[in-house]
């Protein structure tokens, strides 16, 4: 009888199971955002991987690249140990990052909703850090295919799982401030490169020897640091019990027109026009923004030329090698300044969307964006650095804001039950934009250059085309309406999904879980992510000041 009772008794949840992460009385919801930031600040280094391109392109030659034979192809690059890699071949890692991010988020988003954020964060840590370790082996053995496989493919899967791991959880913890909550986490993804890039440069300088450029050692150190931080984030995740609400908060009695009172199943969300309209909204916003990111540094140099170093009479073509090196440093600071606005926009615009509404916020992105993109050529022609830099900074803030606002937009339209998985499917728009934006920008630039267009006017048509992207985005956003009630799940079906996680004390309540009080544990958690981020901001801001000297 005793054995039978033991067999029938439910087993305790495993450490990584969703049930093991249900918050208990006394938990503070403000511990969840720093857990999400710990993961996003690590995987955000994907944006800063270009810091490795130059050292890797001379990992054999050390001081200068050892060129491969002129007739060598891709297979030679993948397996050679006798010559250095080209930056173009290394750059495929960057492409793999964002293609795999979108596709893995789409494929495993549904699994994440069932497994919970801790297990997803755990797997993300293994993939991202493990990918760096495999990459270190690839550098040590000089095998490019291991770099593509490790950081590129396996790391890309870690990016996707890590990126979406906190989305659904944060929205459920902050039903009163959905935009702010997701903005805090996704801000970390934009800020990861601000910490990782200068840190990687310091590590490479430390490990550099006459026989090594220091990259494989840097990969190992970063892999270890990221593993510790991401594991801390994964085990810091908690999910609210079913029916939890912040103390003293209740949903608005009348509701808002664009905020659903029900939930749409993941499988049904893709059947609605709303999903594909928001997919287009994100894709067009990101295509325009990522196009600017990709050309920001050369655009500043070619448009302003000698004006950046106090010689306005010299165009870019008239500069000597030393002068071009000087303005390249200033352009790097400009890229850093854009990164700051990208990060700040993720938090500021997403927080504002809680008051403006998500649809209205995207209207601002597109309407203001169209005006700014169309004005940038004029600012360049009149030689106004402040107007030119200011316009691109605002543009990049809205690029980041679009990423941070879209999870809350999805929650408003489709409800919170499957928002993480729906968001994962939507990120295929990012993968698409990562191809469309750079291709359009680069081909237009090359066409204009071949046609003999002066360097300071190479980008005029590009900016007008990107403004056209935003016009299409404005139309798609205007067409978004609340979902047809036929797609909403019956409440009993939602309760059945959550029944295993319900607290028996009642259907709705705070359950003794703290809302907004900061205790010492919360302060420590925020310092653990805030101090590295503040260091990264300081490093970036110091370089950015050179633009206006």
């Amino acid at each position: 009888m005793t054995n039978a009772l033991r067999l029938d008794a439910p087993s305790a949840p495993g450490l990584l199971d969703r049930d093991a992460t249900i918050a208990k009385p006394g938990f503070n919801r403000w511990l969840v955002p720093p857990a999400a930031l710990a993961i996003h600040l690590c995987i955000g280094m994907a944006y800063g991987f270009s810091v490795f391109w130059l050292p890797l392109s001379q990992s054999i030659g050390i001081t200068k690249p050892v060129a491969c034979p002129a007739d060598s192809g891709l297979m030679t690059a993948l397996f050679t140990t006798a010559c250095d890699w080209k930056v173009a071949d290394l750059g495929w890692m960057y492409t793999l990052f964002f293609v795999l991010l979108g596709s893995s988020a789409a494929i495993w988003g549904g699994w994440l909703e069932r497994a919970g954020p801790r297990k997803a964060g755990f797997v993300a840590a293994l993939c991202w850090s493990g990918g760096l370790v495999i990459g270190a082996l690839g550098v040590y053995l000089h095998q490019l295919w291991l770099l593509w496989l490790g950081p590129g493919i396996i790391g890309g899967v870690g990016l996707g799982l890590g990126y979406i791991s906190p989305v659904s959880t944060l929205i459920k913890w902050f039903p009163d401030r959905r935009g702010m909550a997701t903005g805090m986490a996704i801000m970390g993804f934009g800020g990861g490169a601000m910490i990782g890039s200068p840190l990687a440069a310091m590590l490479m300088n430390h490990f550099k020897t006459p026989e090594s450029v220091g990259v494989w050692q840097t990969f190992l150190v970063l892999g270890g640091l990221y593993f510790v931080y991401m594991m801390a984030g994964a085990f810091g995740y908690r999910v609210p019990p079913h029916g939890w609400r912040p103390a003293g908060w209740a949903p608005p009695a009348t509701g808002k027109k664009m905020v659903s009172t029900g939930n749409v199943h993941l499988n049904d969300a893709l059947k609605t026009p709303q999903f594909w309209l928001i997919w287009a909204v994100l894709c067009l916003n990101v295509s325009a923004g990522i196009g600017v990111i990709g050309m920001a540094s050369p655009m500043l140099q070619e448009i302003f030329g000698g004006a950046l170093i106090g010689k306005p009479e010299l165009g870019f073509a008239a500069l000597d090698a030393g002068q071009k090196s000087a303005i390249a440093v200033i352009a790097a600071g400009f890229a850093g300044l854009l990164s700051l606005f990208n990060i700040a926009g993720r938090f500021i615009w997403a927080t504002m969307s809680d008051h403006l509404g998500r649809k209205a916020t995207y209207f601002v992105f597109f309407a203001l964006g169209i005006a700014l993109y169309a004005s940038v050529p004029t600012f360049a022609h009149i030689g106004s650095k402040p107007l030119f830099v200011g316009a691109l900074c605002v543009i990049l803030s809205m690029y980041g804001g679009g990423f941070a606002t879209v999870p809350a937009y999805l929650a408003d339209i489709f409800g919170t039950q499957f928002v993480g998985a729906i968001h994962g499917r939507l990120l295929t728009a990012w993968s698409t934009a990562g191809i469309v934006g750079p291709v359009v920008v680069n081909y237009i630039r090359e066409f204009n250059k071949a046609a003999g267009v002066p360097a300071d006017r190479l980008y005029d048509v590009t900016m007008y085309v990107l403004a056209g992207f935003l016009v299409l985005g404005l139309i798609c956003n205007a067409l978004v309406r609340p979902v047809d009630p036929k797609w909403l799940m019956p409440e009993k079906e939602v309760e059945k999904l959550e029944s295993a996680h319900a607290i028996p004390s009642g259907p709705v309540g705070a359950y003794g879980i703290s809302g907004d009080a900061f205790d010492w544990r919360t302060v420590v958690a925020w310092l653990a992510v805030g101090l590295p981020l503040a260091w990264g901001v300081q490093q970036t801001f110091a370089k950015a000041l050179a633009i206006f000297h």
Side-chain angles (χ1 to χ4, degrees):
M1 176 68 71
T2 303
N3 289 338
L5 287 174
R6 287 176 179 169
L7 288 172
D8 293 339
S11 59
L15 189 62
L16 298 177
D17 291 345
R18 186 181 188 276
D19 288 359
T21 66
I22 298 173
K24 304 293 192 299
F27 180 75
N28 192 323
R29 67 172 175 167
W30 284 94
L31 286 169
V32 181
L37 274 167
I39 289 180
H40 273 235
L41 286 172
C42 294
I43 62 176
M45 179 53 187
Y47 269 136
F49 240 66
S50 59
V51 73
F52 297 118
W53 295 162
L54 182 59
L56 284 173
S57 70
Q58 52 194 43
S59 56
I60 291 179
I62 306 301
T63 56
K64 63 179 181 179
V66 175
C68 292
D71 59 347
S72 60
L74 180 59
M75 293 303 292
T76 300
L78 287 172
F79 298 102
T80 184
T81 59
C83 57
D84 277 314
W85 303 308
K86 297 177 182 177
V87 170
D89 293 331
L90 292 165
W92 276 101
M93 275 191 285
Y94 193 80
T95 301
L96 288 169
F97 282 154
F98 297 108
V99 171
L100 268 295
L101 186 155
S103 56
S104 61
I107 293 169
W108 288 296
W111 167 80
L112 183 152
E113 294 289 358
R114 299 188 300 273
R118 178 180 291 178
K119 187 174 289 186
F122 180 86
V123 175
L126 292 178
C127 290
W128 182 237
S129 300
L132 288 173
V133 171
I134 294 171
L137 180 63
V139 177
Y140 185 79
L141 299 176
H142 200 74
Q143 292 292 294
L144 181 60
W145 69 272
L146 283 173
L147 285 166
W148 286 14
L149 173 66
I153 296 175
I154 296 174
V157 172
L159 288 178
L161 290 175
Y163 190 88
I164 63 173
S165 63
V167 169
S168 176
T169 301
L170 282 168
I171 286 174
K172 290 173 182 174
W173 274 119
F174 291 88
D176 48 339
R177 285 175 275 190
R178 290 174 176 176
M180 182 207 69
T182 56
M184 281 189 292
I186 292 175
M187 173 184 71
F189 190 80
M194 283 202 316
I195 301 170
S197 292
L199 178 59
M202 292 168 57
L203 289 170
M204 285 189 288
N205 285 331
H206 175 74
F207 290 118
K208 188 175 182 179
T209 68
E211 294 79 31
S212 171
V213 292
V215 174
W216 72 264
Q217 301 95 325
T218 300
F219 275 6
L220 288 178
V221 172
L222 289 178
L225 287 173
Y226 288 156
F227 184 77
V228 170
Y229 253 78
M230 292 179 74
M231 282 296 177
F235 282 91
Y237 281 149
R238 296 292 187 277
V239 297
H242 178 57
W244 177 85
R245 289 179 183 172
W249 179 84
T254 57
K256 297 180 180 179
K257 180 181 177 182
M258 292 300 297
V259 179
S260 174
T261 57
N263 293 277
V264 179
H265 195 281
L266 170 64
N267 296 331
D268 290 332
L270 273 66
K271 300 174 185 176
T272 66
Q274 285 82 358
F275 176 86
W276 295 107
L277 286 169
I278 297 175
W279 189 97
V281 162
L282 182 65
C283 184
L284 291 163
N285 188 56
V286 173
S287 293
I290 210 167
V292 169
I293 290 174
M295 68 179 179
S297 176
M299 185 163 59
L300 184 77
Q301 295 176 67
E302 292 177 328
I303 288 174
F304 291 99
L308 295 172
I309 52 174
K311 297 183 181 295
E313 71 278 5
L314 297 178
F316 180 77
L319 299 174
D320 60 33
Q323 291 168 331
K324 286 183 178 179
S325 295
I327 69 169
V329 172
I330 295 172
F334 177 51
L337 185 65
L338 293 181
S339 179
L340 282 175
F341 275 82
N342 178 8
I343 295 158
R346 291 170 186 246
F347 178 72
I348 293 170
W349 285 111
T351 301
M352 287 177 59
S353 77
D354 288 330
H355 306 284
L356 294 177
R358 258 52 86 168
K359 185 174 180 178
T361 301
Y362 269 96
F363 173 82
V364 174
F365 291 163
F366 291 124
L368 180 57
I370 291 166
L372 290 175
Y373 275 90
S375 299
V376 164
T378 301
F379 298 153
H381 298 163
I382 64 176
S384 175
K385 280 190 293 183
L387 288 176
F388 179 87
V389 170
L392 290 187
C393 284
V394 175
I395 285 170
L396 262 293
S397 79
M398 295 188 295
Y399 164 80
F403 278 121
T405 304
V406 81
Y409 203 170
L410 293 173
D412 288 352
I413 298 297
F414 300 108
T416 61
Q417 188 65 39
F418 291 96
V419 66
I422 295 171
H423 183 230
R425 301 280 175 90
L426 192 84
L427 289 180
T428 54
W430 187 359
S431 299
T432 304
I435 297 171
V436 172
V439 165
V440 168
V441 166
N442 292 334
Y443 273 96
I444 293 176
R445 180 185 182 277
E446 292 304 315
F447 177 83
N448 286 337
K449 194 171 184 180
V453 175
D456 61 347
R457 293 179 181 265
L458 275 178
Y459 301 94
D460 290 8
V461 174
T462 300
M463 300 306 292
Y464 296 139
V465 170
L466 296 182
F469 281 12
L470 297 189
V471 171
L472 295 176
L474 182 70
I475 295 169
C476 290
N477 185 60
L479 294 174
V480 176
R481 298 286 187 272
V483 293
D484 191 309
K486 72 178 183 180
W487 296 115
L488 299 180
M489 298 168 62
E491 189 58 34
K492 289 184 178 179
E493 188 176 345
V494 177
E495 291 178 0
K496 184 179 179 180
L497 288 171
E498 288 285 359
S499 61
H501 314 296
I503 300 296
S505 58
V508 173
Y511 304 127
I513 294 173
S514 169
D516 297 314
F518 266 50
D519 55 19
W520 69 268
R521 286 180 296 245
T522 314
V523 172
V524 169
W526 277 98
L527 286 174
V529 294
L531 291 177
L533 186 57
W535 178 79
V537 170
Q538 184 273 327
Q539 293 286 311
T540 303
F541 191 68
K543 295 176 182 176
L545 287 177
I547 304 172
F548 301 105
H549 282 177

